[in-house]
């Protein structure tokens, strides 16, 4: 058995791992490289003898190179959860339109081919992957708590050895999705390390900070810009804003807050939010209890959706001219594309503007530059002065932090023979490896940054 890391070796993008055994080959994820890691989209390895592709979830850094995988000759089954299968066409359609400018007809041709290869699998059920009549492996998806449909994957070989690929693990105690539960067994664990060197603020504290920022904006006017990924972060933010409006305001605050539009300016995020509502059965206990109480945490009255580009541009111009308070949630989460760029270009020079960075900012992205406190950035080849207030809220990360990753590992009844650390900057991989070693949680620890 051999594992090759084609991506997410030295950073957090381009996830792609190949499991080679005596009985066959499996590919786990095939994601896009972003930020400083951005590179050619071409597939640099042979795909013709890969027996199946297993997708852990629908974020672009895990599925973004799927069209190029097909172009390279891949024609084997694609396994994922039902919700992931629902999200993949939305995510890739948007990516193909933005990256390549493909017309709808060409995009649909690619998406139909992907759909024809896709086999949706329920959580918790074993499914056999075969090469002709020979068993390659049995696979099982388990909830990862990262985004809707996300999973870690258990791969049981004919030898009975079990390899687990974590995909991206979500944090504990989020209200919208259930916590990830450690596997029953993992001889080899391939685990992400996005926040392997950090600890998030609590879920309770994030809502308090969000309320405080919005209260401040009400006092001095201006716009709160929240760059957010269409899947995951956007829904968590809407969920918290609804909770604040429904349960945490006195009568005076309710009158003041009623003046603030909550603007979801992302057609993609709106479609994904509909999918979250469709898959309510996958929600966590708190989210389900709100529904039972007659509340609508992802479809509340103050939330306005902007669809057309003309409406988007008109809103950007209006907010720039008036400085009126508003909460704008728009993609992309790392500020490296999407409608958020037009808002940032127009409103970063305004000192009344607040920008809330609610997720990981990869090296080389505009989001990372804002997070570092740069006072001038470049957008559309134009220098933009930064007078806005920049805030980082780690409580909205869709990734488990260091303590939660260690808790996941400690929850495996028998310690793994080997843990391979992927999907993290060098510092994060090293910090997590050190903790695993010191706690004796594996017989052997390997960092992807040091190995192929």
């Amino acid at each position: 058995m051999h594992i090759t890391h084609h991506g997410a070796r030295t950073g957090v993008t381009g996830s792609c791992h190949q499991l080679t055994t005596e009985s066959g080959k499996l590919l786990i994820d095939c994601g896009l490289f972003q930020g400083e890691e951005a590179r050619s989209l071409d597939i640099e390895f042979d795909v013709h003898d890969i027996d199946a592709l297993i997708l852990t979830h629908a974020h672009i850094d895990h599925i973004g190179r799927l069209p190029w995988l097909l172009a390279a000759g891949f024609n084997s089954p694609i396994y994922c959860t039902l919700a992931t299968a629902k999200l993949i066409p939305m995510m890739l359609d948007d990516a193909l339109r933005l990256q390549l400018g493909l017309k709808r007809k060409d995009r649909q041709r690619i998406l139909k081919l992907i759909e024809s290869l896709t086999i949706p699998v329920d959580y918790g059920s074993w499914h056999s992957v075969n090469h002709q009549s020979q068993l390659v492996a049995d696979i099982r998806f388990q909830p990862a708590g990262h985004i809707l449909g996300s999973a870690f994957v258990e791969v049981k070989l004919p030898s009975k050895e079990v390899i687990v690929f974590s995909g991206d693990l979500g944090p504990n105690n989020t209200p919208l999705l259930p916590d990830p539960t450690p596997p029953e067994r993992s001889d080899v664990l391939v685990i992400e390390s996005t926040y392997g060197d950090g600890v998030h603020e609590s879920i309770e504290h994030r809502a308090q900070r969000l309320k405080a920022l919005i209260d401040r904006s009400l006092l001095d006017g201006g716009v709160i810009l929240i760059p957010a990924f269409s899947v995951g972060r956007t829904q968590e933010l809407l969920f918290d804003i609804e909770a604040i409006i429904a349960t945490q305001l006195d009568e005076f605050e309710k009158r003041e807050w009623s003046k603030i539009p909550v603007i979801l300016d992302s057609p993609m995020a709106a479609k994904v939010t509909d999918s979250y509502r469709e898959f309510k059965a996958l929600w966590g206990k708190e989210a389900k209890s709100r529904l039972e109480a007659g509340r609508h945490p992802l479809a509340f009255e103050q939330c306005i959706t902007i669809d057309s580009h003309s409406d988007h541009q008109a809103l950007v111009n209006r907010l720039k001219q008036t400085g009126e308070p508003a909460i704008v949630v728009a993609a992309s989460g790392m500020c490296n594309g999407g409608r958020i760029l037009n808002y940032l270009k127009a409103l970063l020079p305004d000192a009344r503007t607040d920008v809330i960075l609610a997720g990981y900012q990869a090296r080389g992205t505009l989001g990372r530059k804002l997070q570092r406190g740069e006072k001038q950035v470049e957008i559309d080849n134009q220098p933009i002065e930064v007078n806005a207030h920049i805030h980082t809220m780690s409580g909205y990360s869709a990734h488990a932090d260091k303590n939660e990753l260690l808790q996941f590992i400690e929850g495996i009844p028998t310690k793994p023979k080997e843990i391979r650390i992927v999907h993290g900057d060098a510092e994060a991989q090293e910090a997590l490896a050190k903790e695993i070693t010191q706690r004796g949680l594996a017989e052997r620890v390997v960092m992807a940054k040091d190995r192929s």
Side-chain angles (χ1 to χ4, degrees):
M1 188 273 290
H2 179 70
I3 299 172
T4 305
H5 304 295
H6 297 301
R9 287 183 55 232
T10 58
V12 300
T13 68
S15 283
C16 188
H17 314 288
Q18 182 175 316
L19 173 62
T20 303
T21 71
E22 291 182 355
S23 52
K25 293 182 180 179
L26 301 176
L27 198 65
I28 294 84
D29 291 336
C30 192
L32 191 69
F33 292 94
Q34 297 169 296
E36 285 184 3
E37 299 176 276
R39 64 188 72 172
S40 170
L41 292 166
D42 294 336
I43 304 298
E44 70 280 7
F45 52 89
D46 185 18
V47 305
H48 294 88
D49 57 350
I50 293 174
D51 297 296
L53 169 64
I54 301 168
L55 298 177
T56 61
H57 65 285
H59 272 152
I60 286 297
D61 64 324
H62 289 255
I63 67 166
R65 289 207 289 170
L66 243 176
W68 287 265
L69 190 73
L70 299 180
F74 178 83
N75 194 38
S76 296
I78 300 170
Y79 295 96
C80 62
T81 66
L82 277 71
T84 295
K86 174 82 173 184
L87 293 174
I88 285 171
M90 297 184 208
M91 300 297 285
L92 286 180
D93 186 59
D94 197 53
L96 289 168
R97 179 178 59 83
L98 293 173
Q99 290 169 15
L100 298 182
L102 290 184
K103 294 180 180 178
R104 177 177 173 79
K105 180 180 178 181
D106 295 325
R107 301 198 306 269
Q108 287 302 310
R109 180 173 53 82
I110 295 170
L111 295 177
K112 283 182 180 178
L113 177 54
I114 292 171
E115 184 180 2
S116 71
L117 297 174
T118 299
I119 301 174
V121 178
D122 288 326
Y123 282 117
S125 61
W126 287 102
H127 190 94
S128 296
V129 179
N130 298 299
H131 175 74
Q132 297 175 351
S133 60
Q134 183 180 11
L135 177 67
V136 176
D138 291 313
I139 63 170
R140 182 166 66 175
F141 293 97
Q142 301 284 20
H146 176 62
I147 63 169
L148 186 72
S150 63
F152 66 84
V153 185
E154 299 169 288
V155 181
K156 188 194 301 181
L157 302 180
S159 64
K160 305 305 180 185
E161 189 173 23
V162 176
I163 298 95
V164 173
F165 294 85
S166 75
D168 288 351
L169 295 174
N172 295 331
N173 303 316
T174 58
L176 193 47
L177 294 175
D179 296 351
T181 302
E184 300 166 356
R185 176 183 170 188
S186 180
D187 298 299
V188 177
L189 172 63
V190 181
I191 191 166
E192 67 126 318
S193 60
T194 310
Y195 286 98
D197 58 347
V199 177
H200 300 324
E201 61 186 321
S202 69
I203 300 298
E204 298 79 10
H205 188 225
R206 79 181 190 186
Q208 294 169 5
R209 281 193 66 198
L210 183 62
K211 182 179 182 299
L213 285 170
I214 296 171
D215 285 337
R216 196 190 74 111
S217 182
L218 276 171
L219 292 175
D220 63 4
V223 179
I224 297 174
L225 297 177
I226 309 179
F229 295 104
S230 297
V231 189
R233 207 96 67 238
T234 292
Q235 291 74 34
E236 292 278 353
L237 285 158
L238 294 178
F239 201 87
D240 271 6
I241 292 170
E242 186 275 340
I244 294 170
I245 293 171
T247 65
Q248 298 181 27
L249 303 179
D250 58 32
E251 289 304 315
F252 173 76
E253 287 176 321
K254 284 180 180 178
R255 287 195 298 271
E256 292 300 301
W257 274 60
S258 67
K259 304 172 186 176
I260 311 176
V262 179
I263 300 161
L264 179 56
D265 190 353
S266 169
M268 168 62 62
K271 291 176 185 176
V272 170
T273 302
D274 287 342
S275 294
Y276 266 75
R277 292 197 289 264
E278 178 184 345
F279 285 91
K280 293 189 290 286
L282 302 181
W283 289 12
K285 290 181 181 178
E286 183 177 338
K288 290 177 179 175
S289 68
R290 292 193 198 181
L291 284 176
E292 291 167 2
R295 286 163 55 189
H296 302 280
L298 295 180
F300 53 97
E301 187 176 348
Q302 266 174 259
C303 187
I304 302 164
T305 300
I306 301 296
D307 191 6
S308 73
H309 183 75
S310 59
D311 288 346
H312 156 73
Q313 197 58 59
L315 179 61
V316 171
N317 294 337
R318 173 180 162 182
L319 293 176
K320 181 178 181 180
Q321 291 168 6
T322 65
E324 62 190 280
I327 302 170
V328 177
V329 182
S332 72
M334 297 185 194
C335 309
N336 58 335
R339 291 185 175 182
I340 194 65
L341 289 180
N342 290 330
Y343 287 104
L344 293 170
K345 188 175 178 181
L347 298 172
L348 280 177
D350 190 335
R352 295 171 297 180
T353 301
D354 289 283
V355 179
I356 300 176
L357 300 172
Y360 187 86
Q361 306 300 315
R363 296 189 307 266
T365 61
L366 175 58
R368 175 69 76 96
K369 293 174 183 177
L370 293 173
Q371 193 175 57
R372 286 201 314 245
E374 294 189 16
K375 293 303 179 184
Q376 183 173 291
V377 295
E378 191 174 280
I379 302 176
D380 294 334
N381 298 316
Q382 295 181 32
I384 304 295
E385 189 177 355
V386 181
N387 295 317
H389 300 272
I390 311 298
H391 313 271
T392 297
M393 294 182 66
S394 67
Y396 282 101
S397 173
H399 291 267
D401 65 16
K402 178 181 72 174
N403 292 340
E404 290 160 337
L405 291 170
L406 292 167
Q407 182 181 335
F408 181 83
I409 298 168
E410 288 173 333
I412 302 171
T414 302
K415 71 179 180 182
K417 297 174 185 174
E418 178 176 290
I419 293 179
R420 300 178 73 92
I421 301 175
V422 299
H423 201 288
D425 291 338
E427 299 82 4
Q429 288 192 33
E430 289 165 4
L432 185 60
K434 182 178 179 181
E435 285 283 352
I436 292 170
T437 302
Q438 288 179 343
R439 299 188 188 198
L441 300 180
E443 295 177 16
R444 183 168 178 256
V445 181
V446 178
M447 288 181 281
K449 75 180 186 69
D450 297 332
R451 296 283 298 270
S452 64

